[in-house]
Amino acid sequence: MQESGRGLTRSLSVTDWLKEHIISGSLLPGERLQEVRLSETLGVSRTPVRAALQSLAAAGLVDYAPNRGYAVRDFPISELIDAYEIRSALEGLGARFAAERGLDAEQQAALEGALALGDDLLSRAANLGAEFFVEFREVNVVFHDTVLEASRNRMLGEMIRMSYEKPRVSNRNIVAVDVREIERRHEEHHRIYESIMAREPGRAESIMREHVASVKVAMVRSLRTKGAAAVQGGAA
Amino acid sequence: MQESGRGLTRSLSVTDWLKEHIISGSLLPGERLQEVRLSETLGVSRTPVRAALQSLAAAGLVDYAPNRGYAVRDFPISELIDAYEIRSALEGLGARFAAERGLDAEQQAALEGALALGDDLLSRAANLGAEFFVEFREVNVVFHDTVLEASRNRMLGEMIRMSYEKPRVSNRNIVAVDVREIERRHEEHHRIYESIMAREPGRAESIMREHVASVKVAMVRSLRTKGAAAVQGGAA
DNA sequence: TCAACAAACTTTGTATACATTTGAGCCGGT
DNA sequence: ACCGGCTCAAATGTATACAAAGTTTGTTGA
């Protein structure tokens, strides 16, 4: 990772490195994060390592005890489920705000683009193989990020991002069960968009909330069946 | 603050000091937080100051730009309102979880104690002066903290605490309009407790959500009328 | 054998020196 | 007067040395 920090500081690079390895699971829950060990591994001094650990502790990704150091936080499955529940409430709120405040031209275009691309992908789903899932994931990310942006609420964004930053709880990660389920979820995207455009905050909120919550169910199911074998791509 | 760090590290003391001064408003929004200046003011080296700033940046209380340093984050009134909206959604969710999972004996006792004490205070409200508000604030804190604890959801707790940590958005701070309003809110506390005991998650959530949202309205009103003259004590 | 104490070792906390970046002010050219 | 680049001061980023706290280990006494 010596040169991975391109324009920014080593502290930020180390922070990213740790985040990635924690979220991806290559650093195991409970594992101690010793400063010297990490600094040797990453080829930097203790200072940026400490900076990163302090940030991550404040963000809730690692545990900290004074004079005893840091450890990868353990995320019991029950907490991942809770995180989804929270995300569902918060994204619902985001949709509400978006509907209350309306979309600017750019946001409207982004949403319509995502919807159209999703329609197109679904109509050709049979022909595309695994590529379908990868592309659809992008559609999904754009849709949710744009709604969030349209809520014009910085704090909400921070909190949702916080709930993303857990193993397996992200709109980038999870849960393609089958094409029909994705189809259904994309249909919900349409309904969310319509209710935002119609300026119906309550409806936008409840659809979005249910939309995200349904992914929670799918995640739980997939955790039950195959352990942690999360399929890449999907909708949420 | 030289000796204010009681058993803990200087970094934590500095963090607390900054938090307090930011939330209380004695450090103004936009104000730059220069490391040497702070370290001289607090009588420590730059190291713990940097640690504190990094934590607070991750927690969202200060802004950070690489190579340019830290500044007290500006919280426009609109964002305080948003924070209340979020808090209302999250505390509602907390009440839902509490109702789903039930109370242990200790939590039940704490809630019943808070309710009984609140009833008692209200019945004697006329006789007590300003003391009434101070005591009632404590009742309010206990009630909300206990419900949150009963939700058994660490992440939820973190997020709600995050929304507390803004100027003027706390269950410790705000908005006593008159005794009748407090009476009404305490009545809501009773109904929330009952719906949790009855294991009715949906009802607990919606009452709590509305309960907190009504405080938002009161806060907005008080901001409109007297600027920032928040009365100490109150219910939320 | 076991408990308790103490010393050595490990790890984190703090201070400080040095490196790098930023931004301001100055200066000369046009 | 304006623009561009240069120089230099000031602030942040990084490394390292030292201090303090915690943990382990080993010895001693019953």
Side-chain angles (χ1 to χ4, degrees):
Chain A
M1 85 133 245
Q2 193 66 291
E3 81 298 351
S4 84
R6 299 177 319 289
L8 303 167
T9 68
R10 300 200 211 304
S11 300
L12 296 174
S13 302
V14 175
T15 305
D16 288 345
W17 188 91
L18 283 169
K19 243 188 219 169
E20 224 181 285
H21 282 74
I22 292 172
I23 292 173
S24 75
S26 62
L27 286 170
L28 294 133
E31 188 171 341
R32 287 195 61 191
L33 298 169
Q34 298 186 128
E35 300 170 3
V36 285
R37 209 173 95 64
L38 284 172
S39 65
E40 280 162 9
T41 302
L42 300 178
V44 299
S45 80
R46 278 178 60 209
T47 306
V49 172
R50 281 178 66 78
L53 289 171
Q54 276 146 0
S55 293
L56 293 177
L61 239 92
V62 306
D63 286 318
Y64 166 73
N67 291 313
R68 289 230 227 95
Y70 302 84
V72 177
R73 178 163 159 189
D74 180 52
F75 298 100
I77 289 182
S78 67
E79 189 163 333
L80 299 186
I81 295 173
D82 291 343
Y84 254 105
E85 200 108 25
I86 292 170
R87 193 186 138 201
S88 124
L90 292 177
E91 289 218 38
L93 206 55
R96 162 183 287 273
F97 287 145
E100 283 171 355
R101 294 167 191 185
L103 304 173
D104 66 27
E106 196 181 347
Q107 291 157 352
Q108 187 175 344
L111 288 183
E112 284 172 358
L115 290 173
L117 183 51
D119 291 340
D120 183 52
L121 284 170
L122 281 166
S123 73
R124 297 185 294 130
N127 300 353
L128 305 163
E131 201 188 347
F132 168 73
F133 294 99
V134 175
E135 297 227 27
F136 200 87
R137 185 189 62 175
E138 187 55 31
V139 168
N140 192 59
V141 169
V142 170
F143 184 85
H144 283 268
D145 283 359
T146 303
V147 171
L148 184 55
E149 184 195 326
S151 75
R152 296 172 197 283
N153 187 324
R154 179 173 159 180
M155 187 177 170
L156 197 57
E158 282 171 8
M159 289 188 162
I160 292 175
R161 242 171 287 285
M162 200 179 201
S163 76
Y164 282 168
E165 281 173 356
K166 293 181 179 296
R168 292 193 287 278
V169 187
S170 162
N171 65 3
R172 289 170 172 69
N173 265 338
I174 303 191
V175 191
V177 180
D178 59 24
V179 174
R180 289 201 62 76
E181 186 151 3
I182 289 181
E183 201 162 31
R184 187 171 58 69
R185 291 199 194 128
H186 189 62
E187 176 54 34
E188 289 172 343
H189 285 173
H190 275 283
R191 302 219 315 278
I192 291 164
Y193 170 74
E194 285 157 14
S195 54
I196 290 173
M197 288 303 289
R199 310 297 285 266
E200 298 180 301
R203 187 160 155 257
E205 176 172 14
S206 66
I207 298 174
M208 178 65 96
R209 187 167 172 171
E210 184 52 38
H211 175 66
V212 177
S214 77
V215 181
K216 178 193 72 174
V217 175
M219 181 194 70
V220 172
R221 196 165 48 220
S222 95
L223 286 174
R224 286 246 174 72
T225 52
K226 345 184 214 182
V231 180
Q232 181 170 78
Chain B
M1 86 134 243
Q2 193 66 292
E3 83 297 352
S4 84
R6 297 174 318 287
L8 304 166
T9 69
R10 300 201 213 307
S11 301
L12 296 174
S13 301
V14 175
T15 305
D16 287 345
W17 187 92
L18 283 169
K19 243 188 219 170
E20 225 180 285
H21 283 74
I22 291 172
I23 292 173
S24 75
S26 62
L27 286 170
L28 294 132
E31 188 171 339
R32 286 196 62 190
L33 298 168
Q34 297 185 126
E35 300 170 3
V36 286
R37 208 172 95 62
L38 284 172
S39 65
E40 280 161 10
T41 302
L42 300 178
V44 298
S45 80
R46 277 178 61 208
T47 306
V49 172
R50 281 179 65 78
L53 290 171
Q54 277 146 0
S55 292
L56 293 177
L61 236 87
V62 305
D63 285 319
Y64 167 72
N67 290 313
R68 287 227 226 93
Y70 302 83
V72 178
R73 177 163 159 188
D74 180 53
F75 297 99
I77 291 182
S78 66
E79 188 163 334
L80 299 185
I81 296 172
D82 291 343
Y84 253 105
E85 200 108 26
I86 291 170
R87 192 185 138 202
S88 122
L90 292 177
E91 289 218 37
L93 205 55
R96 163 185 286 273
F97 287 145
E100 283 171 355
R101 294 167 192 187
L103 305 172
D104 65 28
E106 195 181 346
Q107 291 156 353
Q108 187 175 345
L111 288 183
E112 284 173 358
L115 290 173
L117 183 52
D119 291 341
D120 183 53
L121 284 171
L122 280 166
S123 73
R124 297 185 293 131
N127 301 353
L128 305 163
E131 201 187 348
F132 168 74
F133 293 99
V134 176
E135 298 226 27
F136 199 88
R137 185 189 62 174
E138 187 55 30
V139 168
N140 192 58
V141 170
V142 169
F143 184 85
H144 283 268
D145 282 0
T146 304
V147 171
L148 183 55
E149 183 195 326
S151 75
R152 297 172 197 284
N153 187 323
R154 179 173 159 181
M155 186 177 171
L156 196 57
E158 283 171 8
M159 288 188 162
I160 291 175
R161 241 172 288 285
M162 201 179 202
S163 77
Y164 283 167
E165 280 173 355
K166 292 179 180 299
R168 292 193 286 279
V169 186
S170 161
N171 65 2
R172 288 169 172 70
N173 265 337
I174 303 190
V175 190
V177 180
D178 59 24
V179 174
R180 289 200 61 75
E181 186 152 2
I182 289 181
E183 201 162 31
R184 186 172 59 69
R185 292 200 194 126
H186 189 62
E187 176 55 33
E188 289 172 344
H189 285 174
H190 275 283
R191 301 219 317 279
I192 291 164
Y193 170 74
E194 285 157 13
S195 55
I196 290 173
M197 288 303 289
R199 310 297 284 270
E200 298 180 301
R203 186 160 154 258
E205 176 172 14
S206 67
I207 299 173
M208 177 65 96
R209 186 167 172 172
E210 184 52 39
H211 175 66
V212 177
S214 77
V215 182
K216 178 194 70 172
V217 175
M219 181 194 71
V220 172
R221 197 165 48 220
S222 95
L223 286 175
R224 286 246 174 72
T225 53
K226 346 184 212 181
V231 180
Q232 182 169 77

